[in-house]
Amino acid sequence: MWAVELQVMLVVGLLVMLQVQQALQLRSSHPMHGVVDKINENAGPYIGLVMTFPTEELALIDSTFFVPSSEIPWVDLAGRRFNIGTIKGVDVIYVMTGEQTVNAGITVQILLDTFDIIGIVHYGIAGSSNDSLYIGDVSVPNYVAYTGSWTWKEFRSAEESMTELKFGNFNFPKKGENLLAMIDFTPQQLYSIGKPMEEVFWLPIDPKLFYIASELQDVKLQQCVNETYCLPETPKVVYGMKGSTADIYLDNAAYRKFLFKAFNVSTVDEESAAIVMTSLSNGVPCIVFRGVSDYAGGEGFLSATSLTYLAAMNALSVAVEFIGLFGEEVAIHDH
């Protein structure tokens, strides 16, 4: 019995070594191979800080929380700039992915393949699909889902689940039949290290990171856009809600209401599920902070650039405090 187990361990070890050697061979052929090696040798392991579009990066730059490395402050890979430095004394590499799921997934995979990353921290803006979540609030979800994958069903096909969207229910002025019929939301195929592929709808946030984040309820968030205009509600950090991701900018009250009723999602965005899924596939913990910038088509004043910036800044503020706490946890564990 012991002999068999030993043989299995040896085979697994050889396979891992082979994969590492192949990865090193691929990296060594890249023109930036030497620079990347130096980045990984000079510092780290790093927290990967991920945002998706320029306003979110501008919030980080304006905040001055990020201190660039004096040796190698950045490196460009596959059209993305990976910025090396520290936040609150913690080694960080930050990157702006570009919008929507393909850009987000590709960028996070490059980040994880190239650098010594111990965790992914993602911050950004989102629309609120929950009437109790206001502009400026920051949501720390414990689950996210990709709600942009559908089976489009035949006209007059039978309903099979409560979460199917039947277009006839949204006819105006009254319900009825609709040739678009209905759509059924489908799960995603999750591939991860050492596990068979599984179909999942809800992607979990790492519980340890979520627990650390739960200590940030008292983070002071920005309420005023300028000296003359402040939000009517004091922004707050909200935990344990669900987030929805799709390659759709949502500005429709009816669909907003459907998502909340069918899936109990409180925020909508275009990248979070892709970032979480890529992290899960690689066995790297991930957490998400999304600041509310608009109501996704619901009632309330319209989104503006200033509100988007405020929402991004609030999400960043919580993310930065999290990085400080996470860095302390890692230091204690190392000692």
Side-chain angles (χ1 to χ4, degrees):
M1 182 68 177
W2 285 105
V4 173
E5 290 182 355
L6 181 60
Q7 287 178 342
V8 171
M9 290 173 64
L10 287 171
V11 169
V12 171
L14 288 171
L15 287 172
V16 171
M17 288 177 63
L18 180 60
Q19 290 175 348
V20 171
Q21 289 173 351
Q22 289 175 340
L24 287 172
Q25 288 169 2
L26 289 172
R27 289 197 209 106
S28 65
S29 66
H30 196 285
M32 301 303 293
H33 168 66
V35 176
V36 167
D37 276 357
K38 190 172 291 185
I39 291 168
N40 286 326
E41 290 168 3
N42 286 350
Y46 297 91
I47 290 175
L49 181 62
V50 178
M51 73 287 296
T52 65
F53 83 111
T55 301
E56 296 164 349
E57 182 180 28
L58 181 61
L60 177 61
I61 293 170
D62 289 348
S63 73
T64 69
F65 284 127
F66 180 77
V67 180
S69 168
S70 59
E71 295 186 37
I72 306 174
W74 51 265
V75 60
D76 288 342
L77 299 168
R80 282 93 169 165
R81 176 154 294 185
F82 295 80
N83 300 270
I84 298 90
T86 61
I87 291 177
K88 286 183 168 286
V90 180
D91 291 327
V92 169
I93 296 178
Y94 92 75
V95 60
M96 183 178 70
T97 68
E99 296 178 47
Q100 302 196 330
T101 55
V102 173
N103 275 326
I106 288 173
T107 306
V108 173
Q109 190 61 57
I110 294 170
L111 179 65
L112 296 176
D113 280 343
T114 309
F115 303 101
D116 184 8
I117 303 295
I118 55 172
I120 296 292
V121 176
H122 170 46
Y123 78 91
I125 64 168
S128 167
S129 53
N130 183 334
D131 289 338
S132 68
L133 208 56
Y134 300 105
I135 300 288
D137 288 349
V138 177
S139 174
V140 188
N142 55 356
Y143 288 95
V144 295
Y146 182 67
T147 55
S149 179
W150 309 329
T151 296
W152 209 305
K153 305 186 76 172
E154 293 183 2
F155 181 56
R156 290 178 175 169
S157 58
E159 289 189 52
E160 297 178 359
S161 73
M162 295 294 291
T163 57
E164 289 176 334
L165 191 158
K166 190 175 182 179
F167 287 96
N169 290 341
F170 298 90
N171 285 357
F172 184 81
K174 61 181 181 179
K175 297 180 182 180
E177 291 189 318
N178 190 305
L179 290 176
L180 289 175
M182 68 180 76
I183 57 174
D184 192 13
F185 293 77
T186 56
Q188 301 300 293
Q189 295 182 341
L190 175 61
Y191 293 85
S192 51
I193 298 171
K195 299 179 181 178
M197 184 277 289
E198 58 180 325
E199 291 193 341
V200 297
F201 187 79
W202 294 108
L203 300 166
I205 298 298
D206 183 83
K208 292 181 180 178
L209 299 196
F210 187 82
Y211 176 78
I212 295 172
S214 67
E215 300 179 35
L216 302 171
Q217 297 182 31
D218 296 328
V219 173
K220 185 173 177 58
L221 301 177
Q222 186 175 326
Q223 184 175 1
C224 295
V225 174
N226 50 45
E227 293 181 358
T228 60
Y229 180 74
C230 294
L231 297 171
E233 302 286 341
T234 302
K236 58 189 179 297
V237 184
V238 183
Y239 296 90
M241 292 185 168
K242 293 179 179 178
S244 162
T245 293
D247 291 315
I248 303 165
Y249 179 79
L250 180 55
D251 190 19
N252 182 276
Y255 189 59
R256 171 190 189 266
K257 184 177 180 180
F258 169 82
L259 284 176
F260 180 73
K261 183 178 179 181
F263 300 108
N264 195 31
V265 297
S266 295
T267 56
V268 292
D269 65 61
E270 300 176 51
E271 299 88 14
S272 292
I275 292 168
V276 174
M277 189 175 217
T278 306
S279 300
L280 287 170
S281 289
N282 289 273
V284 176
C286 177
I287 191 151
V288 174
F289 303 99
R290 284 279 182 166
V292 175
S293 62
D294 62 87
Y295 291 117
E299 294 182 3
F301 47 80
L302 296 175
S303 176
T305 302
S306 57
L307 297 177
T308 299
Y309 182 82
L310 181 147
M313 185 62 78
N314 281 353
L316 170 66
S317 295
V318 183
V320 164
E321 293 303 316
F322 173 84
I323 288 171
L325 286 179
F326 187 40
E328 292 174 7
E329 292 283 337
V330 171
I332 292 170
H333 182 269
D334 287 347
H335 285 301

